[in-house]
């Protein structure tokens, strides 16, 4: 997070180029799937997929931590 309070981090990954409406639909779908399957194995798969997607953005982990 930058000092001005914005959550946006500059980048040129697939997620950065994606339209905001598509990102919102993906977020809602992710949430529905999370609550639809209350199984630890599904959570593990989704956590792994989420971390993989986060790493594909190419943003350094230090910038994401906010410190």
């Amino acid at each position: 997070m930058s000092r001005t309070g914005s959550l946006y981090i500059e980048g040129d990954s697939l997620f950065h180029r994606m339209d905001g409406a598509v990102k919102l639909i993906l977020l809602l779908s992710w949430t529905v799937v999370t609550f639809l399957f209350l199984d630890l194995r599904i959570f593990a798969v989704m956590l792994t997929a989420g971390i993989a997607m986060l790493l594909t953005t190419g943003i350094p982990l230090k910038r994401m931590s906010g410190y």
Side-chain angles (χ1 to χ4, degrees):
M1 191 163 115
S2 69
R3 299 281 181 213
T4 61
S6 173
L7 295 176
Y8 182 75
I9 298 175
E10 191 72 32
D12 191 35
S13 68
L14 172 67
F15 293 106
H16 285 92
R17 293 187 305 262
M18 205 178 291
D19 185 47
V22 174
K23 289 186 230 182
L24 182 61
I25 291 169
L26 288 174
L27 175 66
L28 292 173
S29 301
W30 189 274
T31 304
V32 167
V33 168
T34 300
F35 288 109
L36 194 61
F37 302 105
L38 294 175
D39 186 2
L40 195 56
R41 294 171 292 193
I42 300 297
F43 289 147
V45 169
M46 292 186 71
L47 179 64
T48 304
I51 291 171
M53 287 187 280
L54 189 61
L55 292 175
T56 62
T57 63
I59 299 171
L61 293 177
K62 188 168 186 157
R63 292 238 8 232
M64 287 186 263
S65 69
Y67 296 109

